[in-house]
């Protein structure tokens, strides 16, 4: 390990906190199917209205919600599960908490600031992403930017969103968003439409009608580029390490966003710049992993305590009063 | 770790291919062709086959385009689209519920006046070509739909 960096483990030496801006650009290595719904039988990609000097356009985008889950929360939750040996040991509520941020089940004010501090110390991922414990919403300090398609309609915005040294490289004439929208059509094959290498036992009982299904939709084509990023507010170096670790895990495992990943869609290749520039990202990631390992037993105990009471879903208006009266 | 650190040089390399280096005139012409073809395709999609003869689909769409061109000379594309849709007796509810119409209308009606006039002019002077391009879109859509209906 290289130079020593301050972490939240150093109780006697409070970690220095500062705000980091991380700018990412991601190129699509395969068609991207980040959907917003369907029109008839076709899936429609997520678009957002853009008002620019040429008027109003609907331009493909990637939601910050999708990015924070796939690129940050899921890899960090997976790491905690593996390091704390939690596979098969967690309740659904605990899994929801780790992988999806949890749900508020009870009336608020259940944990003290000291407990919140302990939670942040045990799980820097929660300090960044925030969460909902059964009785309290806990805020996070990570702001995730939406994925902005690098196209003509977004050029004016990109010139302001990107750091000046990158923005200066933007060509004056980018391709319009419509150039980056493609489509796909797939077929779900069925046994009775395939070459019959294996005969079905009940083949004689089946009618001749084929159940082969054709399905299709829109995509953002391969080779398109999205600019996105993160702002880590008042963060310690260990949180930067967590982000760096999460992003690398996400990329190493395919770097997918959106749907149809099982069919090869949504692969992104990401590169990033961090402001202020630092040269200790790998060390910070190592420290983050070491930290999670060091707090394993405390972390398991925290999860058990926080989710000790059985989850009772909030009833509809009026139902609670009846319960109390009873 | 696998993620590359981004700098100005790397960013510039990654932008290769995203630049639109077509001449302005060619770019505009392609865009007009695309919008006109999409308009024809959507007219075919909402052609009222209960009230009109299905065999006269393209003849009727051709006259819808021509009628709208004659009545709209000020680039009012909202009106243009309404006249064309009325001509093919499109169902109001189906048109209102269609997201593709929303995108297309937002796209063409928000253009500056010069571009809107250019689109009407293009439709007026390329009436056969836009039908051919629109029909190609329609055939692709119909093939996909027929396969789905069979399934």
């Amino acid at each position: 390990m290289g130079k020593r960096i301050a972490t939240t483990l150093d109780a006697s030496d409070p970690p220095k906190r500062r705000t980091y801006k991380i700018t990412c650009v991601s190129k699509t290595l395969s068609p991207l199917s980040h959907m917003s719904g369907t029109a008839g039988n076709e899936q429609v990609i997520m678009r957002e209205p853009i008002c620019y000097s040429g008027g109003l356009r609907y331009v493909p985008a990637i939601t910050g919600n999708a990015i924070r889950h796939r690129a940050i929360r899921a890899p960090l939750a997976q790491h905690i599960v593996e390091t704390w040996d939690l596979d098969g040991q967690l309740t659904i509520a605990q899994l929801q908490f780790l992988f999806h941020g949890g749900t508020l089940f009870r009336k608020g004010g259940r944990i003290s600031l000291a407990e919140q501090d302990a939670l942040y110390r045990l799980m820097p991922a929660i300090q960044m992403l925030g969460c909902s414990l059964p009785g309290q919403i806990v805020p996070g300090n990570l702001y995730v930017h939406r994925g902005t398609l690098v196209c003509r309609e977004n050029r004016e915005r990109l010139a302001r969103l990107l750091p000046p040294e990158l923005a200066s490289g933007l060509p004056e004439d980018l391709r319009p968003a419509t150039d980056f929208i493609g489509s796909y059509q797939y077929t779900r094959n069925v046994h009775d439409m395939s070459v019959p290498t294996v005969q079905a036992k009940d083949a004689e009982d089946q009618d001749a009608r084929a159940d082969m299904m054709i399905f299709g939709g829109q995509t953002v084509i391969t080779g398109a580029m999205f600019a996105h990023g993160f702002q880590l507010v008042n963060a310690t170096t260990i949180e930067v390490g967590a982000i760096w670790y999460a992003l690398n895990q996400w990329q190493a495992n395919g770097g997918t966003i959106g749907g149809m990943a099982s069919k090869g869609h949504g692969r992104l290749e990401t590169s990033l710049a961090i402001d202020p520039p630092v040269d200790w990202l790998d060390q910070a990631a190592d420290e983050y992993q070491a930290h999670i390992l060091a707090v394993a037993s405390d972390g398991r105990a925290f999860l058990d305590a926080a989710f000790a009471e059985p989850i009772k879903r909030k009833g509809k208006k009026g139902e609670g009063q009846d319960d109390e009266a009873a | 770790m696998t993620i590359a650190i981004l700098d100005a040089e790397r960013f510039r390399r990654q932008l290769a291919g995203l630049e639109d280096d077509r001449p302005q005139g060619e770019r505009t012409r392609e865009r007009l062709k695309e919008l006109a073809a999409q308009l024809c395709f959507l007219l075919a999609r909402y052609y009222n086959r209960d009230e009109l003869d299905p065999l006269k689909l393209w003849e009727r769409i051709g006259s819808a385009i021509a009628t709208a061109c004659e009545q709209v000379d000020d680039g009012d594309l909202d009106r243009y689209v309404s006249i064309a849709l009325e001509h093919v007796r499109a169902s109001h509810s189906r048109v209102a519920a269609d997201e593709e119409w929303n995108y297309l209308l937002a796209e063409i009606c928000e253009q500056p006046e010069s571009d809107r006039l250019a689109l009407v002019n293009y439709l007026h002077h390329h009436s056969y070509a836009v039908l051919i391009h629109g029909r190609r879109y329609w055939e692709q859509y119909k093939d996909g739909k027929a396969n789905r209906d069979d399934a």
Side-chain angles (χ1 to χ4, degrees):
Chain A
M1 191 144 312
K3 65 183 76 168
R4 176 81 181 140
I5 54 170
T7 76
T8 45
L9 283 177
D10 302 322
S12 58
D13 179 15
K16 288 189 182 106
R17 290 184 174 274
R18 66 179 304 172
T19 296
Y20 298 89
K21 288 181 188 170
I22 299 169
T23 303
C24 301
V25 296
S26 292
K27 269 212 146 181
T28 53
L29 299 180
S30 65
L32 177 75
S33 302
H34 184 45
M35 319 306 299
S36 69
T38 56
N41 290 329
E42 294 202 342
Q43 292 186 310
V44 178
I45 49 171
M46 193 269 161
R47 298 201 217 190
E48 61 183 356
I50 301 292
C51 194
Y52 84 120
S53 56
L56 182 75
R57 296 286 186 279
Y58 287 83
V59 176
I62 304 175
T63 57
N65 205 32
I67 294 170
R68 71 189 257 124
H69 174 77
R70 206 58 90 78
I72 308 292
R73 194 189 291 275
L76 293 181
Q78 186 63 36
H79 175 245
I80 286 175
V81 167
E82 287 168 9
T83 309
W84 294 358
D85 199 16
L86 296 173
D87 194 2
Q89 309 296 315
L90 296 170
T91 63
I92 287 176
Q94 287 168 326
L95 281 168
Q96 296 276 33
F97 166 75
L98 283 174
F99 282 88
H100 304 284
T103 311
L104 193 67
F105 291 109
R106 305 187 193 108
K107 287 177 183 169
R110 303 278 298 191
I111 66 168
S112 65
L113 281 176
E115 286 170 317
Q116 182 172 314
D117 199 44
L119 170 62
Y120 282 165
R121 185 181 66 82
L122 295 170
M123 287 182 253
I126 297 299
Q127 174 144 21
M128 290 190 297
L129 295 160
C131 69
S132 185
L133 287 166
Q136 184 167 327
I137 289 175
V138 179
N141 64 347
L142 178 70
Y143 302 152
V144 181
H145 305 165
R146 291 164 78 80
T148 305
L149 183 68
V150 179
C151 65
R152 183 184 303 161
E153 292 82 355
N154 278 330
R155 196 196 176 287
E156 295 162 16
R157 280 203 305 156
L158 287 165
R160 288 163 179 77
L161 288 170
L162 291 170
E165 63 274 19
L166 299 184
S168 63
L170 282 171
E172 278 304 314
D173 280 324
L174 286 165
R175 288 182 174 278
T178 47
D179 279 12
F180 297 108
I181 298 173
S183 61
Y184 69 89
Q185 182 170 290
Y186 292 136
T187 306
R188 187 201 66 186
N189 212 341
V190 285
H191 186 73
D192 49 3
M193 295 292 284
S194 307
V195 177
T197 51
V198 180
Q199 190 65 44
K201 197 166 79 173
D202 59 350
E204 288 175 6
D205 301 335
Q206 303 297 316
D207 59 24
R209 186 174 170 275
D211 289 324
M212 190 168 74
M213 184 178 80
I214 292 181
F215 56 103
Q218 297 175 322
T219 60
V220 175
I221 63 170
T222 303
M225 186 197 276
F226 286 90
H228 55 106
F230 308 93
Q231 186 158 343
L232 201 46
V233 180
N234 285 332
T236 59
T237 48
I238 206 166
E239 289 160 39
V240 178
I243 289 261
W244 180 240
Y245 175 76
L247 287 170
N248 276 283
Q249 285 297 304
W250 169 59
Q251 283 287 292
N253 290 305
T256 59
I257 282 281
M260 309 280 284
S262 63
K263 295 170 182 64
H265 286 212
R267 290 201 63 173
L268 298 181
E269 183 187 55
T270 298
S271 46
L272 66 79
I274 184 164
D275 178 30
V278 296
D279 61 357
W280 39 256
L281 288 171
D282 286 347
Q283 289 104 307
D286 290 344
E287 292 248 3
Y288 170 73
Q289 292 172 82
H291 172 81
I292 292 297
L293 185 62
V295 298
S297 61
D298 287 351
R300 280 192 294 260
F302 181 91
L303 283 176
D304 287 342
F307 293 88
E309 291 177 39
I311 300 304
K312 190 175 171 187
R313 291 190 180 275
K314 281 194 288 188
K316 288 179 186 166
K317 232 177 184 177
E319 284 181 8
Q321 291 166 357
D322 290 341
D323 289 346
E324 281 164 19
Chain B
M1 298 289 179
T2 58
I3 293 183
I5 296 295
L6 187 65
D7 58 21
E9 180 50 38
R10 186 182 173 87
F11 184 57
R12 211 164 280 143
R13 278 202 310 273
Q14 290 197 336
L15 284 165
L18 303 183
E19 187 172 3
D20 194 351
D21 50 9
R22 292 170 292 183
Q24 186 64 40
E26 189 187 323
R27 220 186 283 174
T28 308
R29 211 164 33 250
E30 274 189 28
R31 189 71 203 123
L32 291 175
K33 186 171 121 181
E34 167 84 15
L35 288 172
Q38 275 185 15
L39 181 63
C40 280
F41 161 69
L42 288 170
L43 289 175
R45 193 152 144 178
Y46 293 108
Y47 183 85
N48 192 328
R49 286 157 183 78
D50 296 330
E51 293 182 23
L52 300 171
D53 183 355
L55 295 176
K56 293 188 175 167
L57 173 74
W58 294 104
E59 197 178 323
R60 188 83 185 176
I61 290 174
S63 71
I65 298 284
T67 306
C69 284
E70 274 176 23
Q71 293 186 32
V72 176
D73 55 4
D74 58 355
D76 182 350
L77 288 172
D78 274 332
R79 199 162 141 250
Y80 187 100
V81 166
S82 298
I83 292 168
L85 283 169
E86 269 174 36
H87 204 81
V88 298
R89 311 260 174 90
S91 150
H92 288 83
S93 56
R94 286 188 65 203
V95 170
D98 190 318
E99 245 180 84
E100 279 194 57
W101 266 120
N102 289 336
Y103 290 140
L104 184 69
L105 272 182
E107 183 105 35
I108 62 178
C109 295
E110 292 291 330
Q111 308 265 357
E113 190 182 0
S114 58
D115 290 3
R116 284 185 273 129
L117 283 168
L119 180 58
V120 175
N121 196 34
Y122 184 88
L123 285 158
H124 187 58
H125 289 101
H126 299 78
S127 55
Y128 288 96
V130 296
L131 285 181
I132 292 164
H133 298 313
R135 185 161 185 256
R136 199 179 62 241
Y137 278 27
W138 172 246
E139 292 296 335
Q140 286 172 358
Y141 170 78
K142 216 170 52 165
D143 286 349
K145 191 168 185 302
N147 287 331
R148 283 193 293 273
D149 290 346
D150 286 347

